[in-house]
């Protein structure tokens, strides 16, 4: 749900979600209601300030930041970012909760004339289908369309999550990352 700089611009990104193969349907966003997905319990709730320490630790994970091609923030920058998010009532921001534990966050906001989504799931929750279930729940909550998501082309887990929920690729571009100096290919996905 973070907005991060890439070549001087602020972009939204979909981060590690790592869906699994428990949902194998072209109508996956409604599939979480079917019995084949009943073993995954996902609840989206409003973000509580007590969630922020968990979010901070999750975004420090080097494997997750490498997959998302997005650098971790230091404590001060992270705190300032989340204070801005929590103060802005125009943003949709939710905590992903699994069996009572904070599994990550997901949100939706308008940027550059597009309604964007983004999420982050902590590594200890990868492979459980939580990102797919959380995204399905979020898109059901938000009636406006189209929804968009930017994702690094190397983030195959999040690409799979988006496609399971009906998002389709509409654009690709490559930019030099100001942090790593590497050229990063990004894909814009859309849900109509």
């Amino acid at each position: 749900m973070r907005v991060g700089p890439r070549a001087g611009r602020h972009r939204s990104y979909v981060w590690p979600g790592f869906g699994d193969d428990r949902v194998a349907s072209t109508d996956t966003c409604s599939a979480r209601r079917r019995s084949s997905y009943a073993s995954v319990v996902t609840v989206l709730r409003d973000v509580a300030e007590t969630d922020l320490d968990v979010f901070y630790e999750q975004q420090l994970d080097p494997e997750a930041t490498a997959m998302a091609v997005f650098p971790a923030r230091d404590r001060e920058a992270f705190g300032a970012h989340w204070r801005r998010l929590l103060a802005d009532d125009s943003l949709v921001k939710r905590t992903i909760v699994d069996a009572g534990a904070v599994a990550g966050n997901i949100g939706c906001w308008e940027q550059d004339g597009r309604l964007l989504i983004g999420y982050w799931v902590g590594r200890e929750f990868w492979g459980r289908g939580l990102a797919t279930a959380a995204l399905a729940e979020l898109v059901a909550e938000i009636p406006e369309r189209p929804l968009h998501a930017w994702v690094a082309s190397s983030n195959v887990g999040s690409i799979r999550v988006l496609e399971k929920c009906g998002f389709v690729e509409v654009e690709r571009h490559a930019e030099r990352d100001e942090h790593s100096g590497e050229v990063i290919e990004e894909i814009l996905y859309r849900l109509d």
Side-chain angles (χ1 to χ4, degrees), residues 3 11 119 137 152 169:
V3 177
R11 300 311 283 246
Y119 57 84
E137 192 170 330
E169 180 180 332

Side-chain angles (χ1 to χ4, degrees), residues 152-164:
S153 63
S154 59
N155 190 344
V156 294
S158 284
I159 289 170
R160 203 165 79 214
V161 167
L162 290 166
E163 290 174 348
K164 282 181 179 183

Side-chain angles (χ1 to χ4, degrees), residues 27-63:
D27 184 22
T28 305
C29 284
S30 62
R32 70 179 191 77
R33 295 179 191 91
R34 293 196 289 269
S35 62
S36 65
Y37 206 61
S39 63
V40 175
V41 178
T42 300
V43 176
L44 295 185
R45 63 164 169 77
D46 289 336
V47 174
E49 288 205 31
T50 56
D51 300 336
L52 300 183
D53 285 337
V54 177
F55 296 170
Y56 175 74
E57 292 300 323
Q58 289 172 339
Q59 63 94 42
L60 289 176
D61 184 284
E63 188 174 339

Side-chain angles (χ1 to χ4, degrees), residues 1 15 19 23 40-42 61 70 79-80 86 128 134 151 166 182 191:
M1 174 155 101
W15 291 295
V23 180
V40 175
V41 178
T42 300
D61 184 284
F70 197 90
L86 292 174
R128 298 183 190 181
V151 62
E182 296 178 26
L191 177 67

Side-chain angles (χ1 to χ4, degrees), residues 62-119:
E63 188 174 339
T65 59
M67 186 167 293
V69 192
F70 197 90
R73 291 184 166 105
D74 64 27
R75 179 64 84 171
E76 184 177 327
F78 179 86
H81 171 75
W82 273 97
R83 280 190 299 278
R84 283 191 307 274
L85 294 179
L86 292 174
D88 189 341
D89 292 335
S90 72
L91 308 176
V92 176
K93 47 219 173 263
R94 301 287 184 262
T95 296
I96 303 168
V97 180
D98 180 49
V102 174
N105 63 81
I106 189 167
C108 183
W109 64 97
E110 187 174 341
Q111 182 179 322
D112 299 329
R114 292 183 174 128
L115 200 53
L116 296 165
I117 62 97
Y119 57 84

